[in-house]
Amino acid sequence: MTSLLLQRVRTPRWAGWLLLAAGALLALWLPNGLYPAVAVDMLCWALFAVAIDLLLGYGGLLSFGHAAFWGTSAYTAGLIAAHLGVPFPVAVLGGALAAAALAAPIGYLAVKRSGIYFAMVTLAFAQLVYFVANGWSSVTGGENGLQSVPRELFGLDLSDPYYFYYAALPMAALGLLLAWRIVHSPFGRVLVAIRDNPARARALGYPAHRYKLLAFVLSAFVAGLGGGLFAVAHGFVSLDVVHWTTSGKGVVLVVLGGIGTLWGGVVGAALVVNLEDQLSQAGFTLIGLVTGGIFVLVVLLFRRGLWGSAVALLRRYSRL
Amino acid sequence: MSPLDGPAALTARGLIRDFRGFRAVDQVDLTVAAGSVHALVGPNGAGKTTLFNLLTGFLAPTAGRIELDGHDITGLPPERVARLGVARSFQITSLFPQQTARTHVELALQSGTGLGWRFWRSHRLLERFSARAGELLDLVGLGDAGDTLAGSLAYGRKRALELAIALALDPKVLLLDEPTAGMGLEDVDRTVELIAAVRDGRTVVLVEHNMSVVGRLADAVTVLQAGRVLVEGPYEQVRTDPRVIEAYLGSSEGSADAAH
Ligand SMILES: Nc1ncnc2c1ncn2[C@@H]1O[C@H](COP(=O)(O)OP(=O)(O)OP(=O)(O)O)[C@@H](O)[C@H]1O
Ligand SMILES: [Mg+2]
């Protein structure tokens, strides 16, 4: 929705570049101010949230099954890294491609539904993936998880998460750039048109289902980049990656940051990952209660999410 | 030679559409001659819009067959029908409220090119259509409204934008569902002139309550009543048909809005 507001009140070009520069500096500094492992997690979840927003904010499709793609990529990337000894970006890319391939048939069936039915279909398929992952323990390790995923990159020692962060950052940045490009492409324009008025878009000759399907597959790819990176970062893939709570967390991150803002997902991920870490450091056990409470507050106070509201505020002042 | 003697552009044979037991379109046969302006008239609820939805793939017929230039298009989805050269406007204005008028026309111009799939390119790609979009907006009298959001256009101007979008598709067959409904007299005149100007090389099907508009534009008329075809024929013939006069035109023949 912010992308549409952009047309009404044109933000000056320099404001966008300024924000981008600030974001880049922040990303470069991040592991110096936080635990590097936490910073890496932020990158992964940011990719996941942005992927979900791509579909929700621009396609109007709420997926409640993106754990299937995050998890499929995590397992695939983990297996590639463990067995082929390739540089980790190749393993992550392989994972993301596997996620996209899985998204094609699921999306084909799901995009014929909309609203809550779309969410239900995606959830149902994600549960199927969960049961397969759980049962197929010879490959996935079942409840024990997939152990000892290496972090190979041309023989560099990446065992320190501080260095791994900088190795992972370009890949995450490319993933976010891809999402941004998709949203600001001719395809993104058509997708938004279909979201706003599918009948009109179809009367113009745009096959709405196929556009939604491509959006679904692209979203799964970006989510897969996050999931693959997550597997390599932790050196381990647990069954949690395909659990429905993972899908739910992704949606929460997007709503916190602001639906249809793209970067809102990054903000939501940064906030929640950091908060979870702080709370667990402090020995707090009811982490879900706190993040849930914050979620409720944000939803009640900031209709557009944190990032969406901040951008709206900035716009108002830049117009004065 | 009248276009009515030529080949058919669009035909419907035995078209039926049921809504949960209610038959909205009942055994309709329709032959729209290529190059003609064909008016579809009838009282509210006669099934005109439903027939449009059938012809454009928005509804699947319960039975019957639809042909475009002799090819079966029954059951094709709306986007396929549109790409085959059938453009429609909606009775209830159907736009993207948050997009500018120009974007609407650009999206319409883009749809045949396949550029819409390019998720790796900048949306500035659409700017290659902006000159043509400007021309089309000028044509329908929206030259000054290119940057206005569709949602904030006045009603008559929204109708004009509907027409610009349909024309942007450069259709062989143009289906217009009450293009002048709710317009002031001046806008009605402009719209009639516009349709008369763009009908060259196209086939136009027009749902219209305003009989003076029908009289000025239509070569042929089909009168629908309760989902059935009451009369179909050349305008002059239908106008003087006793059943039609009795049912719709009454004593106020030729006056505006006689069909109500
Ligand atoms: N989706 C639907 N479900 C159920 N009934 C419908 C549906 N669409 C149309 N109808 C019914 O079919 C009949 C024909 O409707 P339609 O809209 O085609 O009439 P119309 O000739 O276009 O009328 P108007 O002049 O008011 O636009 C009406 O009785 C209407 O209630
Ligand atoms: Mg109607």
Side-chain angles (χ1 to χ4, degrees):
Chain A
M1 270 139 244
T2 304
S3 71
L4 301 173
L5 289 171
L6 259 171
Q7 301 179 330
R8 204 172 324 178
V9 187
R10 284 231 173 255
T11 15
R13 209 154 237 289
W14 57 263
W17 287 112
L18 206 68
L19 275 175
L20 188 68
L25 281 176
L26 194 63
L28 286 170
W29 166 82
L30 204 58
N32 298 293
L34 298 171
Y35 284 110
V38 175
V40 173
D41 271 3
M42 283 183 185
L43 295 182
C44 301
W45 288 104
L47 283 165
F48 191 48
V50 163
I52 291 174
D53 194 29
L54 183 63
L55 204 56
L56 175 59
Y58 301 86
L61 297 167
L62 170 59
S63 167
F64 211 78
H66 256 45
F69 310 122
W70 166 270
T72 295
S73 176
Y75 280 121
T76 309
L79 288 166
I80 292 176
H83 294 292
L84 300 183
V86 290
F88 82 84
V90 176
V92 172
L93 201 63
L97 287 172
L102 177 68
I106 294 179
Y108 180 81
L109 295 167
V111 298
K112 296 187 172 153
R113 306 271 175 276
S114 55
I116 191 71
Y117 300 105
F118 177 85
M120 277 161 57
V121 172
T122 51
L123 174 62
F125 277 109
Q127 288 305 94
L128 199 66
V129 169
Y130 177 84
F131 285 114
V132 170
N134 191 15
W136 200 8
S137 50
S138 60
V139 173
T140 63
E143 298 213 328
N144 297 323
L146 192 66
Q147 310 284 344
S148 38
V149 175
R151 292 179 194 172
E152 163 58 34
L153 189 66
F154 310 120
L156 293 172
D157 178 15
L158 295 176
S159 55
D160 185 340
Y162 183 83
Y163 295 110
F164 180 67
Y165 176 86
Y166 288 104
L169 184 60
M171 193 150 203
L174 283 176
L176 296 178
L177 191 71
L178 172 66
W180 178 84
R181 177 31 85 216
I182 292 168
V183 164
H184 298 283
S185 71
F187 174 77
R189 281 292 187 85
V190 176
L191 193 63
V192 166
I194 291 170
R195 176 197 73 190
D196 289 344
N197 191 342
R200 171 40 91 189
R202 298 182 80 186
L204 292 182
Y206 290 109
H209 288 340
R210 287 195 214 164
Y211 272 84
K212 287 180 182 176
L213 176 57
L214 180 56
F216 193 76
V217 170
L218 289 169
S219 168
F221 180 82
V222 176
L225 289 177
L229 220 45
F230 191 76
V232 175
H234 288 247
F236 165 75
V237 184
S238 85
L239 200 52
D240 284 348
V241 294
V242 283
H243 198 257
W244 65 267
T245 50
T246 297
S247 302
K249 182 172 173 180
V251 175
V252 166
L253 301 181
V254 173
V255 175
L256 271 178
I259 296 168
T261 63
L262 208 63
W263 304 131
V266 179
V267 173
L271 183 81
V272 169
V273 171
N274 194 23
L275 194 69
E276 283 178 349
D277 175 62
Q278 303 276 338
L279 290 172
S280 69
Q281 292 289 328
F284 204 81
T285 45
L286 298 171
I287 294 173
L289 199 67
V290 175
T291 50
I294 289 180
F295 181 60
V296 169
L297 272 180
V298 168
V299 169
L300 290 177
L301 294 178
F302 305 101
R303 205 165 43 87
R304 297 175 181 170
L306 292 173
W307 181 247
S309 300
V311 169
L313 208 69
L314 271 176
R315 283 233 170 84
R316 191 168 321 149
Y317 281 109
S318 70
R319 239 190 316 168
L320 288 178
Chain B
M1 187 185 98
S2 150
L4 297 183
D5 305 325
L10 193 62
T11 57
R13 288 286 160 264
L15 218 50
I16 294 176
R17 172 68 201 202
D18 292 338
F19 293 113
R20 293 195 197 92
F22 171 74
R23 190 152 286 188
V25 169
D26 189 4
Q27 286 289 347
V28 165
D29 291 317
L30 179 74
T31 304
V32 180
S36 70
V37 175
H38 195 119
L40 213 54
V41 304
N44 296 112
K48 305 180 293 293
T49 298
T50 305
L51 182 55
F52 260 32
N53 285 334
L54 292 169
L55 294 174
T56 50
F58 277 91
L59 285 172
T62 306
R65 180 180 163 93
I66 302 159
E67 286 179 6
L68 178 67
D69 291 331
H71 301 289
D72 188 5
I73 61 163
T74 321
L76 290 187
E79 57 270 17
R80 290 281 305 281
V81 177
R83 295 290 297 279
L84 288 171
V86 181
R88 71 171 294 183
S89 73
F90 290 83
Q91 177 175 1
I92 297 166
T93 305
S94 175
L95 299 166
F96 309 114
Q98 304 274 26
Q99 308 273 5
T100 65
R102 179 176 293 105
T103 302
H104 281 75
V105 183
E106 286 171 354
L107 280 171
L109 290 166
Q110 179 194 247
S111 85
T113 65
L115 294 178
W117 292 107
R118 307 216 170 166
F119 61 81
W120 60 93
R121 296 290 304 273
S122 165
H123 61 211
R124 299 234 167 75
L125 211 60
L126 272 166
E127 283 170 10
R128 69 173 64 179
F129 301 112
S130 62
R132 176 79 186 122
E135 287 171 26
L136 284 161
L137 288 171
D138 278 339
L139 185 68
V140 300
L142 289 177
D144 58 333
D147 294 322
T148 310
L149 296 180
S152 47
L153 287 172
Y155 179 81
R157 313 198 90 197
K158 283 184 183 152
R159 302 301 296 167
L161 182 54
E162 282 260 355
L163 204 55
I165 297 168
L167 289 173
L169 297 172
D170 194 18
K172 288 187 287 190
V173 181
L174 187 56
L175 288 89
L176 302 173
D177 200 346
E178 305 199 12
T180 68
M183 280 187 179
L185 277 181
E186 231 167 85
D187 284 339
V188 170
D189 275 342
R190 209 220 332 256
T191 305
V192 170
E193 274 161 31
L194 185 60
I195 295 170
V198 301
R199 65 168 289 183
D200 265 354
R202 301 184 210 282
T203 306
V204 180
V205 186
L206 184 72
V207 171
E208 187 56 70
H209 283 305
N210 186 328
M211 280 303 141
S212 83
V213 170
V214 173
R216 286 159 72 186
L217 286 170
D219 303 303
V221 180
T222 295
V223 184
L224 278 182
Q225 189 180 35
R228 288 172 168 275
V229 175
L230 186 70
V231 186
E232 175 173 311
Y235 172 73
E236 286 305 326
Q237 189 181 316
V238 171
R239 195 173 69 100
T240 53
D241 189 292
R243 288 167 296 177
V244 176
I245 291 172
E246 187 189 343
Y248 305 107
L249 303 181
S251 51
S252 61
E253 179 199 336
S255 76
D257 259 17
H260 278 302

